[in-house]
Amino acid sequence: MKAEEILRQIAEETAVCTKCALQHSRKKAVPGEGPANAEIMFIGEGPGFYENEQGRPFVGQAGKFLEELLVGIGLKREQVFIGNVVKCRPPSNRDPLPEELAACSDYLERQIQAINPRVIVTLGRYSMARFLPNAKISDVHGQSYQVKGRTIVPMFHPAAALHQPSLRPMVEKDFKRLPELIAHAAPVVDPVEEKTPEVKKEPKQLSLF
Ligand code: URA
Ligand code: SF4
């Protein structure tokens, strides 16, 4: 199945998903959005009020800041994939519970496999913990890590910088490093393609920078 179709299918599944209790606070599921061949994937925590209304990720204040950060490195939000670790809004924006993260995990895994991004930027603790379970965000933010052959760059959540203005310069500085980290990220080798060289794609071109 093509990546676009997989993403579309995930969007359909999350819209009616009953795998965890967040189904009850869902108005619209927020599966995430962006090109199926995006080179960078940003993964946040979960939908807030406006995201739940619109079914789109990062459309509130944190989203505005994220867009500014992207513009600062020459990117538009349409060029990157933006998603979350949980696809339905936790009531009153509370933190997602371990069982909710576990229940929703497979959707994100399928999105990552389909998009196969060069770099995944995690925004906030819950997204970081999926790849770097023992890391402390204050120690690791803005650095790149290889996790299962993929480049992971943990960052503070943009909302954290809005609540705590002293974090803002650090978040901006971390973002400025992204183009270089992306340029140096090794292309991810798809294990399926590796076994069938006749359908092997050309290595992804670095089209963004
Ligand atoms: N914060 C998140 O983590 N995700 C969103 O989609 C919006 C705000
Ligand atoms: Fe399903 Fe994820 Fe929504 Fe829970 S948060 S109901 S697992 S889509």
Side-chain angles (χ1 to χ4, degrees):
M1 213 190 315
K2 275 173 59 186
E4 285 89 355
E5 288 167 37
I6 296 170
L7 296 183
R8 207 175 310 126
Q9 190 170 324
I10 291 169
E12 284 171 16
E13 288 175 36
T14 56
V16 294
C17 178
T18 55
K19 290 203 282 184
C20 88
L22 296 184
Q23 64 180 294
H24 303 298
S25 44
R26 171 181 68 221
K27 199 160 175 181
K28 285 194 176 157
V30 181
E33 65 185 26
N37 64 350
E39 293 186 317
I40 321 172
M41 203 167 167
F42 289 87
I43 306 177
E45 188 172 313
F49 176 84
Y50 293 102
E51 290 78 19
N52 187 42
E53 296 291 315
Q54 297 180 32
R56 298 184 55 209
F58 282 92
V59 289
Q61 283 304 310
K64 231 178 113 199
F65 185 36
L66 178 61
E67 282 178 32
E68 284 172 31
L69 290 163
L70 286 169
V71 167
I73 55 169
L75 287 175
K76 295 198 188 83
R77 71 176 278 156
E78 299 79 44
Q79 291 177 281
V80 302
F81 190 90
I82 305 177
N84 284 304
V85 283
V86 291
K87 314 302 190 196
C88 305
R89 184 193 182 200
S92 318
N93 295 350
R94 66 155 170 75
D95 290 345
L97 299 172
E99 59 267 32
E100 294 158 356
L101 290 160
C104 211
S105 168
D106 188 52
Y107 294 122
L108 180 56
E109 188 55 37
R110 285 160 62 199
Q111 289 173 320
I112 294 169
Q113 293 303 324
I115 296 166
N116 199 21
R118 287 173 80 97
V119 173
I120 293 177
V121 178
T122 64
L123 301 170
R125 285 180 296 145
Y126 288 95
S127 173
M128 175 186 72
R130 182 186 176 100
F131 304 95
L132 303 164
N134 301 313
K136 261 182 71 185
I137 186 84
S138 49
D139 294 338
V140 300
H141 68 93
Q143 297 174 51
S144 74
Y145 294 86
Q146 294 304 305
V147 180
K148 294 187 194 149
R150 206 180 289 280
T151 300
I152 309 292
V153 183
M155 296 220 186
F156 284 103
H157 196 289
L162 294 178
H163 292 134
Q164 210 178 316
S166 62
L167 285 180
R168 199 177 166 121
M170 204 146 60
V171 171
E172 286 168 351
K173 195 167 154 220
D174 287 350
F175 250 76
K176 293 276 189 233
R177 292 196 60 217
L178 264 184
E180 194 195 323
L181 295 176
I182 293 160
H184 287 113
V188 181
V189 179
D190 184 330
V192 178
E193 291 182 9
E194 220 175 13
K195 278 187 229 114
T196 50
E198 63 276 9
V199 296
K200 200 163 183 160
K201 285 189 299 194
E202 288 298 307
K204 271 193 188 175
Q205 295 298 308
L206 244 197
S207 53
L208 295 178
F209 301 99

